Amino acid sequence: MNDNRKEKRNSRCGFIALVGRPNVGKSTLLNHFLRQKISITSRKPQTTRHRILGVHSTSDTQFIYVDTPGLHHERKKTLNRLMNETVERVISDVDVVFFIVERTAWTDEDELVLNALLNVNKPILLLINKVDQLQDKKRLLPHIEALSAKRHFVEIIPVSALKGHNLEVIDEAVRQYLPEGQFLFPVDQVTDRSVRFLAAEMVREKIIRQLGDELPYEATVEIEKFQDQGRTLHVDALILVEKAGQKQILIGKEGSRLKLVGSAAREDMEKAFEKKVMLKLWVKVRSGWADNERALKSLGYTDYQSI
Ligand code: GDP
Ligand code: MG
């Protein structure tokens, strides 16, 4: 050990699962956790099977955020079953879970997520997001009390992802639950495959936002082209849906809905990649695929090496 660095803390590095029903602010929070940088990477240590959303490194801590797809939806069809299995697997492997809820709201979907966490034997930090929207902050206290009666949380932290409040507090609170050890990822590495993955996620997120329950988890996005041509990034994305009807819904009247999906995803990409983006979207029906595990595997739902 280097003697002049006595007060330096040992490095820690670990996996954090983000869970919470749609719309509580997971993506917004993640952006803040990553300090708006894309530090996602596909170079994974042998032992991880996680779907990695991003990595944030400080001088002595590496926070690896992982996704838990499908936690907030009812089990139905093979697709959702696979996703629920994924959830269990992801959570069994992480060091810490962030359970994200919003303000003083508590919905059936929050309850579903909580139920999935009941038997989880990991430290769970409850993040109460969007507190900036609370007129009367005093209302938070009884709510916190009610939530802490539901199960044990190692910490309950009110946050505002939008304003970036309390992020350092969260980093510090979670640090103690991450194992001591070397960083698993190089600091600030961006790879082509991971940015493709991120681009696909941006499209998928906009589809879900546009269609909500009309198309739950039945759309998959494949990035067919991801070409950096100097000042412009050219991205072609193929959206696979299950039925012709869904294709119609997604495309919308004279393509209006797909246009909304495309422009919102493009804006996200331009922000993230700091470049002008030309995004082209296609929708294709992949008949019966949701019940075909092999097709799912080929699309990367169960094979984490492909991310
Ligand atoms: P996700 O579905 O859980 O990933 O949620 P998003 O991150 O997409 O956020 C859903 C909506 O909530 C978006 O319109 C966000 O701008 C908004 N939002 C997220 N965090 C906050 C917050 O702290 N305060 C407020 N007022 N809005 C927020
Ligand atoms: Mg999201």
Side-chain angles (χ1 to χ4, degrees), residues 217-230:
Y217 285 104
E218 286 174 348
T220 294
V221 179
E222 289 181 348
I223 301 296
E224 302 218 301
K225 178 166 128 185
F226 193 94
Q227 219 169 60
D228 191 346
Q229 298 184 353

Side-chain angles (χ1 to χ4, degrees), residues 26-27 205 209:
K26 295 180 296 299
S27 301
E205 186 194 86
R209 189 156 302 168

